[in-house]
Amino acid sequence: MSDFRLKVFQSVAKNLSFTKASQELFVSQPAITKHIQELEAAYQTRLFDRQGSRISLTEAGKLLLEHCERILEDYKRLEYEMHLLHNEYTGGLKLGASTTVAQYVLPPLLASFIGKFPHVNLSLLNGNSREIEAALQEHRIDLGFVEGVFRLPNIKYTTFLKDELAVVRTGSKLAIGEEITPEELLHLPLVLRERGSGTLDVFERALQQHNIKLSSLQVLMYLGSTESIKLFLEHTDCLGIVSIRSITRELYSGQLRVVEIKDMPMLRDFSFAQPQGQESGLAQVFMQFAMHYNNKL
């Protein structure tokens, strides 16, 4: 139902390329050009500046993109909610989620989904991000939730939720303040998530921005879950790296405290992971439901 010209414009604007938009939308390049020309004629303004083979958004183009994204998202929500009025879904859906997502994000979402679709049989596989991607490639699950920064070419990733990693400590005897520099991490004992976890991927990438190698840190233990790290911190004077979503209760009670690292943000996305080309079925229904629900998470 949505205006396809807006989808074309959004793709060209995101890729800054008519060719890439053509490949992404499976539409010929002349057709892409025609849709953009129609929009420019309708609004009587140029949407792109063209310098040889390179293009950039004009101010009018930037404004249209801002509205375009909202309009297309509203169309998606409308289609989804209208679809719910006339369809009852049944069958099985095998989900897989990285540890942090499985423990701290999905439970309320799963409960809400089961309440809305009682005839869908859900199952959930828990593992780190690399294990979930492997399960997806081996067709042991239909849809994955992963974290971190690495991407595989045969898997499509769609951002679901934003997250941030925090450095935390208990009321330990470590002689540090509320803020430290990245270099000070070299001299402090740490407990970290295991190899293959999205949490460690993001932490290692943040260290690289300051030319610090993971191997140069004083890592006491690599543990397989956030809960293990939190329990380890209770009995050891060290720092842990965990999702801020996993420590809400501990921060409120004062059991854990955040230590800021100057100029070293550790932001990441929680993403859906699905095989390239898979755009239908119960997996897509669950994705639409989750996107509709995620403002409550």
Side-chain angles (χ1 to χ4, degrees), residues 236-267:
T236 312
D237 289 332
C238 67
L239 301 177
I241 314 291
V242 295
S243 166
I244 196 70
R245 293 177 176 274
S246 70
I247 54 172
T248 304
R249 294 177 182 176
E250 288 83 0
L251 292 178
Y252 182 78
S253 68
Q255 185 179 352
L256 291 176
R257 289 185 291 171
V258 171
V259 178
E260 299 290 341
I261 305 183
K262 187 177 181 180
D263 299 323
M264 190 173 137
M266 293 185 287
L267 306 175

PDB file of all heavy atoms in Angstrom, residues 236-267:
ATOM      1  N   THR A 236      35.147 -11.127  44.479  1.00  0.00           N
ATOM      2  CA  THR A 236      36.486 -10.798  44.006  1.00  0.00           C
ATOM      3  C   THR A 236      36.598  -9.296  43.765  1.00  0.00           C
ATOM      4  O   THR A 236      35.662  -8.676  43.272  1.00  0.00           O
ATOM      5  CB  THR A 236      36.799 -11.538  42.679  1.00  0.00           C
ATOM      6  OG1 THR A 236      36.454 -12.904  42.802  1.00  0.00           O
ATOM      7  CG2 THR A 236      38.267 -11.411  42.322  1.00  0.00           C
ATOM      8  N   ASP A 237      37.753  -8.721  44.083  1.00  0.00           N
ATOM      9  CA  ASP A 237      37.994  -7.304  43.828  1.00  0.00           C
ATOM     10  C   ASP A 237      38.464  -7.122  42.389  1.00  0.00           C
ATOM     11  O   ASP A 237      39.659  -7.196  42.092  1.00  0.00           O
ATOM     12  CB  ASP A 237      39.051  -6.764  44.792  1.00  0.00           C
ATOM     13  CG  ASP A 237      38.528  -6.645  46.211  1.00  0.00           C
ATOM     14  OD1 ASP A 237      37.311  -6.465  46.362  1.00  0.00           O
ATOM     15  OD2 ASP A 237      39.326  -6.750  47.149  1.00  0.00           O
ATOM     16  N   CYS A 238      37.517  -6.925  41.491  1.00  0.00           N
ATOM     17  CA  CYS A 238      37.872  -6.705  40.085  1.00  0.00           C
ATOM     18  C   CYS A 238      36.734  -5.955  39.399  1.00  0.00           C
ATOM     19  O   CYS A 238      35.718  -5.632  40.015  1.00  0.00           O
ATOM     20  CB  CYS A 238      38.172  -8.019  39.383  1.00  0.00           C
ATOM     21  SG  CYS A 238      36.759  -9.120  39.181  1.00  0.00           S
ATOM     22  N   LEU A 239      36.901  -5.698  38.099  1.00  0.00           N
ATOM     23  CA  LEU A 239      35.897  -5.035  37.288  1.00  0.00           C
ATOM     24  C   LEU A 239      35.292  -6.026  36.310  1.00  0.00           C
ATOM     25  O   LEU A 239      35.962  -6.944  35.843  1.00  0.00           O
ATOM     26  CB  LEU A 239      36.518  -3.873  36.505  1.00  0.00           C
ATOM     27  CG  LEU A 239      37.200  -2.757  37.303  1.00  0.00           C
ATOM     28  CD1 LEU A 239      37.809  -1.735  36.347  1.00  0.00           C
ATOM     29  CD2 LEU A 239      36.224  -2.088  38.246  1.00  0.00           C
ATOM     30  N   GLY A 240      34.019  -5.821  35.976  1.00  0.00           N
ATOM     31  CA  GLY A 240      33.350  -6.653  34.977  1.00  0.00           C
ATOM     32  C   GLY A 240      32.768  -5.788  33.869  1.00  0.00           C
ATOM     33  O   GLY A 240      32.473  -4.605  34.088  1.00  0.00           O
ATOM     34  N   ILE A 241      32.607  -6.369  32.685  1.00  0.00           N
ATOM     35  CA  ILE A 241      32.008  -5.676  31.540  1.00  0.00           C
ATOM     36  C   ILE A 241      30.701  -6.389  31.205  1.00  0.00           C
ATOM     37  O   ILE A 241      30.707  -7.561  30.812  1.00  0.00           O
ATOM     38  CB  ILE A 241      32.922  -5.699  30.296  1.00  0.00           C
ATOM     39  CG1 ILE A 241      34.354  -5.342  30.664  1.00  0.00           C
ATOM     40  CG2 ILE A 241      32.359  -4.781  29.219  1.00  0.00           C
ATOM     41  CD1 ILE A 241      34.563  -3.922  31.076  1.00  0.00           C
ATOM     42  N   VAL A 242      29.561  -5.689  31.356  1.00  0.00           N
ATOM     43  CA  VAL A 242      28.252  -6.309  31.133  1.00  0.00           C
ATOM     44  C   VAL A 242      27.306  -5.309  30.468  1.00  0.00           C
ATOM     45  O   VAL A 242      27.578  -4.106  30.429  1.00  0.00           O
ATOM     46  CB  VAL A 242      27.623  -6.795  32.474  1.00  0.00           C
ATOM     47  CG1 VAL A 242      28.454  -7.901  33.101  1.00  0.00           C
ATOM     48  CG2 VAL A 242      27.458  -5.634  33.446  1.00  0.00           C
ATOM     49  N   SER A 243      26.192  -5.807  29.973  1.00  0.00           N
ATOM     50  CA  SER A 243      25.156  -4.939  29.421  1.00  0.00           C
ATOM     51  C   SER A 243      24.511  -4.142  30.543  1.00  0.00           C
ATOM     52  O   SER A 243      24.222  -4.665  31.620  1.00  0.00           O
ATOM     53  CB  SER A 243      24.085  -5.771  28.708  1.00  0.00           C
ATOM     54  OG  SER A 243      22.928  -4.995  28.457  1.00  0.00           O
ATOM     55  N   ILE A 244      24.265  -2.875  30.281  1.00  0.00           N
ATOM     56  CA  ILE A 244      23.603  -2.030  31.271  1.00  0.00           C
ATOM     57  C   ILE A 244      22.201  -2.558  31.581  1.00  0.00           C
ATOM     58  O   ILE A 244      21.674  -2.374  32.693  1.00  0.00           O
ATOM     59  CB  ILE A 244      23.540  -0.562  30.774  1.00  0.00           C
ATOM     60  CG1 ILE A 244      23.228   0.410  31.926  1.00  0.00           C
ATOM     61  CG2 ILE A 244      22.563  -0.403  29.639  1.00  0.00           C
ATOM     62  CD1 ILE A 244      24.344   0.574  32.921  1.00  0.00           C
ATOM     63  N   ARG A 245      21.601  -3.279  30.620  1.00  0.00           N
ATOM     64  CA  ARG A 245      20.256  -3.833  30.818  1.00  0.00           C
ATOM     65  C   ARG A 245      20.250  -4.968  31.847  1.00  0.00           C
ATOM     66  O   ARG A 245      19.213  -5.297  32.382  1.00  0.00           O
ATOM     67  CB  ARG A 245      19.701  -4.355  29.490  1.00  0.00           C
ATOM     68  CG  ARG A 245      19.431  -3.275  28.468  1.00  0.00           C
ATOM     69  CD  ARG A 245      18.948  -3.860  27.156  1.00  0.00           C
ATOM     70  NE  ARG A 245      18.604  -2.804  26.219  1.00  0.00           N
ATOM     71  CZ  ARG A 245      17.435  -2.200  26.160  1.00  0.00           C
ATOM     72  NH1 ARG A 245      16.473  -2.575  26.987  1.00  0.00           N
ATOM     73  NH2 ARG A 245      17.205  -1.241  25.290  1.00  0.00           N
ATOM     74  N   SER A 246      21.410  -5.541  32.097  1.00  0.00           N
ATOM     75  CA  SER A 246      21.475  -6.713  32.969  1.00  0.00           C
ATOM     76  C   SER A 246      21.663  -6.368  34.443  1.00  0.00           C
ATOM     77  O   SER A 246      21.637  -7.256  35.295  1.00  0.00           O
ATOM     78  CB  SER A 246      22.634  -7.620  32.526  1.00  0.00           C
ATOM     79  OG  SER A 246      23.882  -7.017  32.803  1.00  0.00           O
ATOM     80  N   ILE A 247      21.870  -5.090  34.744  1.00  0.00           N
ATOM     81  CA  ILE A 247      22.238  -4.723  36.128  1.00  0.00           C
ATOM     82  C   ILE A 247      21.314  -3.669  36.726  1.00  0.00           C
ATOM     83  O   ILE A 247      21.679  -3.000  37.688  1.00  0.00           O
ATOM     84  CB  ILE A 247      23.703  -4.230  36.201  1.00  0.00           C
ATOM     85  CG1 ILE A 247      23.943  -3.097  35.198  1.00  0.00           C
ATOM     86  CG2 ILE A 247      24.668  -5.392  35.933  1.00  0.00           C
ATOM     87  CD1 ILE A 247      25.292  -2.437  35.342  1.00  0.00           C
ATOM     88  N   THR A 248      20.123  -3.536  36.185  1.00  0.00           N
ATOM     89  CA  THR A 248      19.186  -2.503  36.671  1.00  0.00           C
ATOM     90  C   THR A 248      18.914  -2.656  38.165  1.00  0.00           C
ATOM     91  O   THR A 248      18.986  -1.680  38.926  1.00  0.00           O
ATOM     92  CB  THR A 248      17.859  -2.594  35.894  1.00  0.00           C
ATOM     93  OG1 THR A 248      18.128  -2.489  34.500  1.00  0.00           O
ATOM     94  CG2 THR A 248      16.915  -1.479  36.323  1.00  0.00           C
ATOM     95  N   ARG A 249      18.613  -3.877  38.596  1.00  0.00           N
ATOM     96  CA  ARG A 249      18.299  -4.094  40.011  1.00  0.00           C
ATOM     97  C   ARG A 249      19.511  -3.881  40.901  1.00  0.00           C
ATOM     98  O   ARG A 249      19.410  -3.301  41.994  1.00  0.00           O
ATOM     99  CB  ARG A 249      17.750  -5.510  40.204  1.00  0.00           C
ATOM    100  CG  ARG A 249      16.399  -5.737  39.531  1.00  0.00           C
ATOM    101  CD  ARG A 249      15.938  -7.173  39.688  1.00  0.00           C
ATOM    102  NE  ARG A 249      14.675  -7.407  39.002  1.00  0.00           N
ATOM    103  CZ  ARG A 249      14.079  -8.584  38.914  1.00  0.00           C
ATOM    104  NH1 ARG A 249      14.640  -9.650  39.474  1.00  0.00           N
ATOM    105  NH2 ARG A 249      12.936  -8.713  38.276  1.00  0.00           N
ATOM    106  N   GLU A 250      20.678  -4.331  40.440  1.00  0.00           N
ATOM    107  CA  GLU A 250      21.891  -4.197  41.250  1.00  0.00           C
ATOM    108  C   GLU A 250      22.308  -2.732  41.397  1.00  0.00           C
ATOM    109  O   GLU A 250      22.804  -2.332  42.453  1.00  0.00           O
ATOM    110  CB  GLU A 250      23.034  -4.999  40.617  1.00  0.00           C
ATOM    111  CG  GLU A 250      22.884  -6.509  40.737  1.00  0.00           C
ATOM    112  CD  GLU A 250      21.997  -7.105  39.668  1.00  0.00           C
ATOM    113  OE1 GLU A 250      21.489  -6.348  38.811  1.00  0.00           O
ATOM    114  OE2 GLU A 250      21.807  -8.343  39.686  1.00  0.00           O
ATOM    115  N   LEU A 251      22.098  -1.929  40.346  1.00  0.00           N
ATOM    116  CA  LEU A 251      22.412  -0.505  40.455  1.00  0.00           C
ATOM    117  C   LEU A 251      21.447   0.187  41.413  1.00  0.00           C
ATOM    118  O   LEU A 251      21.845   1.046  42.211  1.00  0.00           O
ATOM    119  CB  LEU A 251      22.345   0.161  39.074  1.00  0.00           C
ATOM    120  CG  LEU A 251      23.417  -0.238  38.056  1.00  0.00           C
ATOM    121  CD1 LEU A 251      23.180   0.472  36.729  1.00  0.00           C
ATOM    122  CD2 LEU A 251      24.809   0.076  38.579  1.00  0.00           C
ATOM    123  N   TYR A 252      20.182  -0.193  41.335  1.00  0.00           N
ATOM    124  CA  TYR A 252      19.171   0.413  42.203  1.00  0.00           C
ATOM    125  C   TYR A 252      19.436   0.091  43.674  1.00  0.00           C
ATOM    126  O   TYR A 252      19.285   0.940  44.552  1.00  0.00           O
ATOM    127  CB  TYR A 252      17.788  -0.079  41.797  1.00  0.00           C
ATOM    128  CG  TYR A 252      16.653   0.533  42.594  1.00  0.00           C
ATOM    129  CD1 TYR A 252      16.208   1.821  42.316  1.00  0.00           C
ATOM    130  CD2 TYR A 252      16.027  -0.176  43.624  1.00  0.00           C
ATOM    131  CE1 TYR A 252      15.178   2.395  43.046  1.00  0.00           C
ATOM    132  CE2 TYR A 252      14.996   0.381  44.348  1.00  0.00           C
ATOM    133  CZ  TYR A 252      14.574   1.669  44.061  1.00  0.00           C
ATOM    134  OH  TYR A 252      13.569   2.232  44.800  1.00  0.00           O
ATOM    135  N   SER A 253      19.858  -1.124  43.932  1.00  0.00           N
ATOM    136  CA  SER A 253      20.112  -1.542  45.326  1.00  0.00           C
ATOM    137  C   SER A 253      21.475  -1.088  45.840  1.00  0.00           C
ATOM    138  O   SER A 253      21.744  -1.172  47.035  1.00  0.00           O
ATOM    139  CB  SER A 253      20.021  -3.069  45.434  1.00  0.00           C
ATOM    140  OG  SER A 253      21.095  -3.694  44.739  1.00  0.00           O
ATOM    141  N   GLY A 254      22.339  -0.635  44.926  1.00  0.00           N
ATOM    142  CA  GLY A 254      23.684  -0.234  45.331  1.00  0.00           C
ATOM    143  C   GLY A 254      24.678  -1.382  45.382  1.00  0.00           C
ATOM    144  O   GLY A 254      25.827  -1.190  45.780  1.00  0.00           O
ATOM    145  N   GLN A 255      24.252  -2.562  44.965  1.00  0.00           N
ATOM    146  CA  GLN A 255      25.133  -3.724  44.985  1.00  0.00           C
ATOM    147  C   GLN A 255      26.268  -3.590  43.981  1.00  0.00           C
ATOM    148  O   GLN A 255      27.391  -4.055  44.216  1.00  0.00           O
ATOM    149  CB  GLN A 255      24.321  -4.982  44.679  1.00  0.00           C
ATOM    150  CG  GLN A 255      25.100  -6.279  44.776  1.00  0.00           C
ATOM    151  CD  GLN A 255      24.218  -7.482  44.482  1.00  0.00           C
ATOM    152  OE1 GLN A 255      23.002  -7.364  44.348  1.00  0.00           O
ATOM    153  NE2 GLN A 255      24.843  -8.651  44.378  1.00  0.00           N
ATOM    154  N   LEU A 256      25.978  -2.946  42.839  1.00  0.00           N
ATOM    155  CA  LEU A 256      26.997  -2.680  41.830  1.00  0.00           C
ATOM    156  C   LEU A 256      27.052  -1.194  41.512  1.00  0.00           C
ATOM    157  O   LEU A 256      26.040  -0.488  41.636  1.00  0.00           O
ATOM    158  CB  LEU A 256      26.702  -3.453  40.547  1.00  0.00           C
ATOM    159  CG  LEU A 256      26.852  -4.978  40.576  1.00  0.00           C
ATOM    160  CD1 LEU A 256      26.415  -5.573  39.248  1.00  0.00           C
ATOM    161  CD2 LEU A 256      28.279  -5.392  40.903  1.00  0.00           C
ATOM    162  N   ARG A 257      28.231  -0.741  41.098  1.00  0.00           N
ATOM    163  CA  ARG A 257      28.407   0.645  40.687  1.00  0.00           C
ATOM    164  C   ARG A 257      29.094   0.685  39.329  1.00  0.00           C
ATOM    165  O   ARG A 257      29.944  -0.161  39.036  1.00  0.00           O
ATOM    166  CB  ARG A 257      29.258   1.407  41.712  1.00  0.00           C
ATOM    167  CG  ARG A 257      28.519   1.670  43.040  1.00  0.00           C
ATOM    168  CD  ARG A 257      29.361   2.529  43.960  1.00  0.00           C
ATOM    169  NE  ARG A 257      30.535   1.798  44.448  1.00  0.00           N
ATOM    170  CZ  ARG A 257      31.523   2.372  45.132  1.00  0.00           C
ATOM    171  NH1 ARG A 257      31.507   3.665  45.359  1.00  0.00           N
ATOM    172  NH2 ARG A 257      32.530   1.636  45.555  1.00  0.00           N
ATOM    173  N   VAL A 258      28.727   1.686  38.528  1.00  0.00           N
ATOM    174  CA  VAL A 258      29.319   1.847  37.205  1.00  0.00           C
ATOM    175  C   VAL A 258      30.591   2.679  37.307  1.00  0.00           C
ATOM    176  O   VAL A 258      30.627   3.692  38.005  1.00  0.00           O
ATOM    177  CB  VAL A 258      28.325   2.525  36.234  1.00  0.00           C
ATOM    178  CG1 VAL A 258      29.002   2.896  34.919  1.00  0.00           C
ATOM    179  CG2 VAL A 258      27.139   1.612  35.974  1.00  0.00           C
ATOM    180  N   VAL A 259      31.624   2.245  36.606  1.00  0.00           N
ATOM    181  CA  VAL A 259      32.865   3.000  36.471  1.00  0.00           C
ATOM    182  C   VAL A 259      32.940   3.505  35.032  1.00  0.00           C
ATOM    183  O   VAL A 259      32.944   2.702  34.091  1.00  0.00           O
ATOM    184  CB  VAL A 259      34.100   2.125  36.792  1.00  0.00           C
ATOM    185  CG1 VAL A 259      35.376   2.935  36.592  1.00  0.00           C
ATOM    186  CG2 VAL A 259      34.017   1.581  38.207  1.00  0.00           C
ATOM    187  N   GLU A 260      32.964   4.821  34.843  1.00  0.00           N
ATOM    188  CA  GLU A 260      33.023   5.384  33.499  1.00  0.00           C
ATOM    189  C   GLU A 260      34.443   5.264  32.942  1.00  0.00           C
ATOM    190  O   GLU A 260      35.424   5.427  33.670  1.00  0.00           O
ATOM    191  CB  GLU A 260      32.619   6.862  33.526  1.00  0.00           C
ATOM    192  CG  GLU A 260      31.211   7.128  34.018  1.00  0.00           C
ATOM    193  CD  GLU A 260      30.139   6.666  33.048  1.00  0.00           C
ATOM    194  OE1 GLU A 260      30.470   6.464  31.849  1.00  0.00           O
ATOM    195  OE2 GLU A 260      28.983   6.504  33.475  1.00  0.00           O
ATOM    196  N   ILE A 261      34.544   4.963  31.638  1.00  0.00           N
ATOM    197  CA  ILE A 261      35.838   4.982  30.961  1.00  0.00           C
ATOM    198  C   ILE A 261      35.856   6.186  30.031  1.00  0.00           C
ATOM    199  O   ILE A 261      35.027   6.287  29.121  1.00  0.00           O
ATOM    200  CB  ILE A 261      36.092   3.695  30.160  1.00  0.00           C
ATOM    201  CG1 ILE A 261      35.961   2.470  31.059  1.00  0.00           C
ATOM    202  CG2 ILE A 261      37.489   3.741  29.533  1.00  0.00           C
ATOM    203  CD1 ILE A 261      36.266   1.173  30.355  1.00  0.00           C
ATOM    204  N   LYS A 262      36.766   7.099  30.266  1.00  0.00           N
ATOM    205  CA  LYS A 262      36.799   8.359  29.532  1.00  0.00           C
ATOM    206  C   LYS A 262      37.023   8.122  28.039  1.00  0.00           C
ATOM    207  O   LYS A 262      37.936   7.402  27.636  1.00  0.00           O
ATOM    208  CB  LYS A 262      37.911   9.253  30.086  1.00  0.00           C
ATOM    209  CG  LYS A 262      37.916  10.663  29.502  1.00  0.00           C
ATOM    210  CD  LYS A 262      38.990  11.516  30.152  1.00  0.00           C
ATOM    211  CE  LYS A 262      38.973  12.931  29.576  1.00  0.00           C
ATOM    212  NZ  LYS A 262      40.031  13.777  30.203  1.00  0.00           N
ATOM    213  N   ASP A 263      36.157   8.729  27.224  1.00  0.00           N
ATOM    214  CA  ASP A 263      36.282   8.695  25.758  1.00  0.00           C
ATOM    215  C   ASP A 263      36.300   7.275  25.200  1.00  0.00           C
ATOM    216  O   ASP A 263      36.952   7.011  24.180  1.00  0.00           O
ATOM    217  CB  ASP A 263      37.551   9.437  25.307  1.00  0.00           C
ATOM    218  CG  ASP A 263      37.541  10.907  25.711  1.00  0.00           C
ATOM    219  OD1 ASP A 263      36.453  11.510  25.673  1.00  0.00           O
ATOM    220  OD2 ASP A 263      38.609  11.432  26.071  1.00  0.00           O
ATOM    221  N   MET A 264      35.594   6.360  25.851  1.00  0.00           N
ATOM    222  CA  MET A 264      35.533   4.990  25.329  1.00  0.00           C
ATOM    223  C   MET A 264      34.102   4.463  25.419  1.00  0.00           C
ATOM    224  O   MET A 264      33.784   3.614  26.247  1.00  0.00           O
ATOM    225  CB  MET A 264      36.504   4.082  26.091  1.00  0.00           C
ATOM    226  CG  MET A 264      36.682   2.700  25.461  1.00  0.00           C
ATOM    227  SD  MET A 264      37.992   1.757  26.282  1.00  0.00           S
ATOM    228  CE  MET A 264      37.211   0.149  26.399  1.00  0.00           C
ATOM    229  N   PRO A 265      33.213   4.971  24.562  1.00  0.00           N
ATOM    230  CA  PRO A 265      31.838   4.456  24.558  1.00  0.00           C
ATOM    231  C   PRO A 265      31.806   3.030  24.053  1.00  0.00           C
ATOM    232  O   PRO A 265      32.596   2.640  23.185  1.00  0.00           O
ATOM    233  CB  PRO A 265      31.117   5.413  23.600  1.00  0.00           C
ATOM    234  CG  PRO A 265      32.190   5.900  22.686  1.00  0.00           C
ATOM    235  CD  PRO A 265      33.430   5.993  23.538  1.00  0.00           C
ATOM    236  N   MET A 266      30.893   2.244  24.582  1.00  0.00           N
ATOM    237  CA  MET A 266      30.746   0.843  24.161  1.00  0.00           C
ATOM    238  C   MET A 266      29.283   0.592  23.814  1.00  0.00           C
ATOM    239  O   MET A 266      28.528   0.001  24.579  1.00  0.00           O
ATOM    240  CB  MET A 266      31.252  -0.101  25.261  1.00  0.00           C
ATOM    241  CG  MET A 266      32.744  -0.001  25.494  1.00  0.00           C
ATOM    242  SD  MET A 266      33.384  -1.214  26.696  1.00  0.00           S
ATOM    243  CE  MET A 266      32.759  -0.514  28.233  1.00  0.00           C
ATOM    244  N   LEU A 267      28.891   1.078  22.646  1.00  0.00           N
ATOM    245  CA  LEU A 267      27.514   0.962  22.178  1.00  0.00           C
ATOM    246  C   LEU A 267      27.403  -0.196  21.194  1.00  0.00           C
ATOM    247  O   LEU A 267      28.346  -0.518  20.484  1.00  0.00           O
ATOM    248  CB  LEU A 267      27.076   2.263  21.505  1.00  0.00           C
ATOM    249  CG  LEU A 267      27.241   3.535  22.343  1.00  0.00           C
ATOM    250  CD1 LEU A 267      26.889   4.754  21.506  1.00  0.00           C
ATOM    251  CD2 LEU A 267      26.384   3.469  23.594  1.00  0.00           C
TER     252      LEU A 267
END
